[in-house]
Amino acid sequence: MNIYLDYQATTPADPAVVAAMQPFWTQKFGNPHSNHRYGWEAEAAVDVARGHIARVLNVQPETVVFTSGATEANNLALKGVMARADRRRLVTVSTEHSCVLETARFLESRGFDLTVLGVGSDGLVDLAALQAALGEDVALVSVMAVNNEIGVIQPLGRIAAAAHDADALFHCDAAQGFGKIPLDMDALGIDLMSLSAHKIYGPKGIGALVVRSGLDLEPQMHGGGQEGDGLRSGTLAAPLAVGFGKAAEIAAARMDKDRAHAEALWGAFLAALHVPHAINGSTAQRWRGNINLRFEGLDGDRLIADLRRVSISSGAACASAKGRHSHVLEALGLSRVQAKASLRIGWGRFSTEDEVRAAAAMIGEAVLMQRKTAA
């Protein structure tokens, strides 16, 4: 039995998504920007997909700007806003994804001011510290919805309110939250939101930046200006857009069911894990399709190597591939030794209770074996 429990890294495509995309590779292959029947057919399908995504967020379809993924969307949001803003400061959080933090540091290297706020041991933003950081020079606040390593859910409405009280914009990287938790952009006060298809059982290679009507962003790629009235250039991949739209439609219909399933698997996994452990990050304010466990004194990478039939990780896929330690766990106050003793485990729509129980048993065996070897 090979068990996939790395759903924060990526998700398997839903079969209905694959079926929806299929005609647009071969029969309905037109360029959605072409002015003829094939182009109109592809354009119409893209418009339907845009509508499905917009409905999940309670926004107008024209505010959805397709990108190559959440990394591009985050770059476009941060660079695009700051380039046109009168103010010079960007505020973000130490547990953000690297594509937000690295973009923020790039802007700092170009003369912008940057404030990176810490978090508590639970991984949540200190709202008092946020408010203290919000002066008249702040143009943009960027805070993610659901953390990709520890699954904590930030208080988005309160963060947005604080940003707006300072006349700043609020951007949210919602790659891990879109389709999993309710995200009404207007009700929450979110001005810009980044999305990714492959986190919600859609295809890799496509995401979106949702931009509140009236905002003026500097384009980061120049060319035909196909998306967002010139905001993003490049021929749109109609099959990927269709897949993203279908994934969003399914996620909206299954949101309550998927959440209940994730919570049930959380309970089943912990009930089957019979070795001492600690959970990194808040357990109350959390997406329960993610659990980040710490096994004190052990080596997480060695545990992963011993678990040949269970696919899990020690953190974000982009960091793990380069052998980098987790900046998220260190931001919680963990030492590097403690961070290295931690594993990220994620389940989702296609995971079963038998799988998570079996994985818990195998992880427990690997932990006991490593402790025995170290003794």
Side-chain angles (χ1 to χ4, degrees):
M1 177 190 292
N2 293 305
I3 303 171
Y4 182 79
L5 293 180
D6 199 16
Y7 272 70
Q8 276 65 55
T10 195
T11 59
D14 191 294
V17 169
V18 176
M21 294 169 62
Q22 188 59 43
F24 294 90
W25 296 116
T26 52
Q27 293 101 36
K28 303 178 181 182
F29 55 83
N31 184 325
H33 315 295
S34 294
N35 191 26
H36 51 60
R37 185 174 67 84
Y38 284 89
W40 300 331
E41 185 176 50
E43 181 185 31
V46 168
D47 286 343
V48 170
R50 207 184 302 271
H52 286 316
I53 294 165
R55 278 190 287 277
V56 180
L57 301 172
N58 192 30
V59 297
Q60 293 302 309
E62 60 268 21
T63 65
V64 178
V65 178
F66 284 115
T67 65
S68 62
T71 291
E72 184 192 339
N74 286 331
N75 272 262
L76 178 56
L78 272 60
K79 295 175 183 175
V81 166
M82 298 306 293
R84 294 279 176 92
D86 295 328
R87 300 179 175 193
R88 302 291 295 175
R89 184 173 297 278
L90 166 67
V91 175
T92 189
V93 179
S94 57
T95 51
E96 292 297 298
H97 192 278
S98 60
C99 64
V100 166
L101 292 175
E102 291 302 317
T103 302
R105 291 177 184 126
F106 168 82
L107 288 167
E108 185 180 32
S109 75
R110 293 300 188 271
F112 291 93
D113 299 318
L114 173 63
T115 297
V116 180
L117 299 172
V119 295
S121 60
D122 57 3
L124 296 173
V125 173
D126 183 333
L127 292 171
L130 171 63
Q131 289 174 330
L134 293 174
E136 294 181 355
D137 61 339
V138 177
L140 180 66
V141 176
S142 181
V143 182
M144 67 184 358
V146 177
N147 189 271
N148 56 303
E149 290 194 32
I150 56 175
V152 299
I153 303 172
Q154 298 290 356
L156 301 179
R158 298 176 70 183
I159 294 169
H164 292 162
D165 285 345
D167 292 325
L169 297 174
F170 177 45
H171 163 254
C172 177
D173 175 358
Q176 296 284 349
F178 176 70
K180 298 175 185 174
I181 61 174
L183 290 172
D184 184 317
M185 284 186 65
D186 185 56
L188 290 168
I190 299 171
D191 299 299
L192 306 106
M193 182 179 285
S194 300
L195 313 175
S196 175
H198 78 101
K199 307 296 187 182
I200 59 163
Y201 312 94
K204 298 173 182 63
I206 191 164
L209 179 64
V210 187
V211 184
R212 180 169 57 80
S213 297
L215 291 188
D216 184 28
L217 276 67
E218 180 80 17
Q220 298 303 301
M221 293 198 302
H222 300 91
Q226 287 90 340
E227 279 290 289
D229 291 328
L231 182 56
R232 198 267 185 180
S233 293
T235 300
L236 189 61
L240 301 183
V242 168
F244 192 1
K246 188 64 178 179
E249 180 186 26
I250 295 169
R254 291 183 53 101
M255 193 177 294
D256 290 340
K257 186 176 182 179
D258 282 348
R259 181 173 62 247
H261 182 58
E263 290 174 352
L265 296 183
W266 171 285
F269 179 86
L270 288 177
L273 186 66
H274 299 302
V275 291
H277 62 270
I279 298 175
N280 295 322
S282 171
T283 56
Q285 192 69 12
R286 191 187 197 110
W287 168 248
R288 290 183 180 257
N290 166 296
I291 191 165
N292 195 298
L293 295 177
R294 186 171 74 253
F295 301 97
E296 295 287 357
L298 300 187
D299 186 322
D301 288 335
R302 183 179 159 194
L303 284 173
I304 291 171
D306 290 340
L307 293 164
R308 297 183 182 277
R309 293 187 292 148
V310 182
S311 295
I312 56 177
S313 67
S314 56
C318 53
S320 296
K322 295 182 179 179
R324 298 201 304 259
H325 64 277
S326 170
H327 70 277
V328 172
L329 296 182
E330 288 194 8
L332 269 59
L334 273 62
S335 68
R336 289 201 177 188
V337 171
Q338 288 177 312
K340 279 184 64 64
S342 299
L343 301 176
R344 181 182 70 171
I345 303 162
W347 41 77
R349 183 178 299 163
F350 301 114
S351 304
T352 68
E353 188 168 315
D354 286 344
E355 286 178 326
V356 300
R357 288 185 180 277
M362 285 186 270
I363 291 169
E365 290 173 9
V367 167
L368 291 175
M369 183 62 67
Q370 193 175 133
R371 290 201 187 283
K372 182 178 179 181
T373 302

